[in-house]
Amino acid sequence: MSSGITFSHWLRPIICLFLALSLAACSGSASRNNTPISGSTYTVQRGDTLYRIALRSGSSVGTLARLNGISPPYTIQVGQRLRLNGSSTSKTVTPKASTSATTTARNSSMSQPEKLAPASWPAPGSKCWRWPTQGKVIDGWSSKDGGNKGIDIAGTRGQPVYAAAAGRVVYAGDQLRGYGNLILIKHDENYITAYGHNQSMLVTNGQQVKAGQKIATMGSTGTNTVKLHFQIRYKATALDPLRYLPAQGKSPSC
């Protein structure tokens, strides 16, 4: 991701959330140990992710990454020794303090951006959206924890993928495991869209794109089915795209 891109206060948490979700989703044999971590250092165990370590230590992904000089996609290795705070002295954390710290980490803007209830979502038609591609929706949006935060659209390999609205590309890469070749487009100070599992990406970081511009081709990177994973996010909250997209084959009416 280009270091020259300036992020808004909510855009960085969104990308960190993508990182956290992709790391957690791809740890098939990951450890389920949620025991709080105390002390100033920690040795990475099999199945650990930086996100899980942050929750268990009462820290945030951003803090751990900064202390240990780790860059996105925040890859860590078994046996790697991580600094958990700025001090070199170990300290004992009581169970009560650990619980409080873990709660703070869960609410941290770097690990879990605030979510808006559906009643607070923007009204349909408040922004014009185009379908990013044509095809059958094979997996819809879900409000459940760990559920699909967008829609999956089936199609054929190489099928065009279009920008759902005009904006600027803030991420185009394959470092977020679970999404394959992923493109994130920032549309204004409130909206960002995501396009995952592309076969090829036709845009680069920082590039301005027009509504309906071809930005990628459909593929199966990061998954075993040819499809497009599409998300609309409003102030870090994943909205149900079907609530805002026009009927397939029709232009936006707004």
Side-chain angles (χ1 to χ4, degrees):
M1 191 179 302
S2 170
S3 59
I5 295 175
T6 300
F7 296 96
S8 67
H9 70 284
W10 60 266
L11 178 58
R12 188 177 295 275
I14 287 179
I15 296 179
C16 288
L17 181 59
F18 268 97
L19 286 166
L21 291 175
S22 62
L23 288 172
C26 294
S27 56
S29 58
S31 166
R32 297 299 179 183
N33 183 8
N34 293 316
T35 305
I37 299 172
S38 62
S40 59
T41 62
Y42 174 75
T43 301
V44 177
Q45 307 295 317
R46 179 177 174 79
D48 280 338
T49 65
L50 200 63
Y51 176 65
R52 185 177 295 278
I53 293 171
L55 290 181
R56 293 173 59 199
S57 64
S59 185
S60 71
V61 173
T63 297
L64 293 183
R66 184 177 66 254
L67 286 173
N68 295 279
I70 302 173
S71 301
Y74 304 126
T75 301
I76 54 178
Q77 305 295 329
V78 174
Q80 181 177 351
R81 195 170 182 82
L82 300 179
R83 294 175 58 195
L84 301 182
N85 54 54
S87 168
S88 59
T89 347
S90 296
K91 61 179 180 180
T92 303
V93 180
T94 64
K96 182 177 181 180
S98 298
T99 301
S100 175
T102 301
T103 301
T104 300
R106 291 182 190 277
N107 294 328
S108 166
S109 63
M110 287 299 291
S111 57
Q112 289 289 350
E114 182 181 356
K115 297 178 181 179
L116 298 176
S120 301
W121 288 6
S126 56
K127 187 173 181 64
C128 291
W129 298 107
R130 299 169 181 262
W131 276 83
T133 195
Q134 294 296 309
K136 180 181 179 181
V137 176
I138 55 176
D139 193 7
W141 178 89
S142 171
S143 62
K144 296 180 180 179
D145 290 340
N148 193 13
K149 296 311 172 189
I151 57 174
D152 291 347
I153 306 170
T156 58
R157 192 176 305 278
Q159 180 174 318
V161 174
Y162 305 101
R168 178 166 56 89
V169 178
V170 292
Y171 181 84
D174 62 357
Q175 296 179 319
L176 292 110
R177 290 179 293 173
Y179 294 97
N181 290 330
L182 173 70
I183 295 172
L184 301 179
I185 299 178
K186 179 182 177 183
H187 301 284
D188 54 32
E189 291 306 310
N190 292 321
Y191 290 97
I192 187 170
T193 52
Y195 312 75
H197 307 308
N198 302 296
Q199 176 176 306
S200 61
M201 297 182 289
L202 308 178
V203 292
T204 58
N205 291 328
Q207 181 176 338
Q208 294 287 340
V209 297
K210 298 178 181 179
Q213 179 177 332
K214 184 178 177 181
I215 58 173
T217 59
M218 189 182 293
S220 57
T221 57
T223 185
N224 56 7
T225 305
V226 176
K227 63 183 178 180
L228 173 70
H229 175 71
F230 176 67
Q231 292 189 19
I232 298 177
R233 285 183 176 263
Y234 175 78
K235 294 182 178 179
T237 297
L239 309 178
D240 180 358
L242 294 182
R243 183 174 178 177
Y244 298 94
L245 292 171
Q248 282 207 50
K250 293 187 177 180
S251 300
S253 57
C254 51

